[in-house]
């Protein structure tokens, strides 16, 4: 079964950002937000059995995003995803290097500090 049946399934806008060192009025500061691009994604739901199986693992409380393979920039593991007002660290990034159709990104919500 294909990962995406129709392009219309990519109906959620997500923004990919990174945080780096920068300067504000000549003063070095950390965590300067850099927006790379916004793209459309399919956000996959987890079935109850998948949620139960992920408890206590690295994939607990994760969200899977599927985007087109060809993007304005190469997506990096160090970036974050912003979706519906929440931030997600990229846990796993799986580009489809064979068919070059889709990239699957598993994101974990950033813990509030």
């Amino acid at each position: 079964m294909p990962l995406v049946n129709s392009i219309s399934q990519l109906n959620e806008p997500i923004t990919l950002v990174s945080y780096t060192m920068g300067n504000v009025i000549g003063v070095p500061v950390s965590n300067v937000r850099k927006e790379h691009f916004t793209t459309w994604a399919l956000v996959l739901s987890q079935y109850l059995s998948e949620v139960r199986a992920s408890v206590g693992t690295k994939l607990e409380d994760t969200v899977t995003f599927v985007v087109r393979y060809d993007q304005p920039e190469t997506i990096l593991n160090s970036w974050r995803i912003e979706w519906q007002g929440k931030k997600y660290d990229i846990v796993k990034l799986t580009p489809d290097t064979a068919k070059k159709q889709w990239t699957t990104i598993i994101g974990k919500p950033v813990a509030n500090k």
Side-chain angles (χ1 to χ4, degrees):
M1 188 161 121
L3 192 57
V4 177
N5 293 315
S6 167
I7 293 297
S8 64
Q9 289 180 285
L10 284 85
N11 59 1
E12 291 286 339
I14 62 171
T15 302
L16 289 114
V17 300
S18 63
Y19 292 86
T20 59
M21 293 293 291
N23 286 312
V24 175
I25 312 172
V27 178
V29 293
S30 62
N31 291 331
V32 175
R33 180 182 179 275
K34 179 182 178 190
E35 186 174 312
H36 293 278
F37 58 89
T38 298
T39 190
W40 293 98
L42 165 63
V43 181
L44 296 175
S45 308
Q46 286 187 328
Y47 296 106
L48 182 58
S49 60
E50 293 172 320
V51 172
R52 285 183 179 163
S54 70
V55 172
T57 70
K58 184 179 179 180
L59 298 178
E60 183 176 7
D61 195 30
T62 59
V63 177
T64 302
F65 302 92
V66 180
V67 298
R68 287 179 181 249
Y69 177 85
D70 190 26
Q71 295 293 335
E73 293 181 61
T74 302
I75 301 170
L76 302 177
N77 283 323
S78 58
W79 292 1
R80 284 188 175 163
I81 295 170
E82 294 178 352
W83 174 60
Q84 294 186 343
K86 295 180 184 172
K87 297 176 184 171
Y88 297 83
D89 284 325
I90 295 177
V91 176
K92 186 163 178 63
L93 181 63
T94 310
D96 176 13
T97 54
K99 294 183 181 178
K100 297 185 179 353
Q101 285 185 311
W102 312 111
T103 296
T104 303
I105 308 168
I106 298 176
K108 189 169 187 104
V110 174
N112 293 332
K113 295 180 181 180

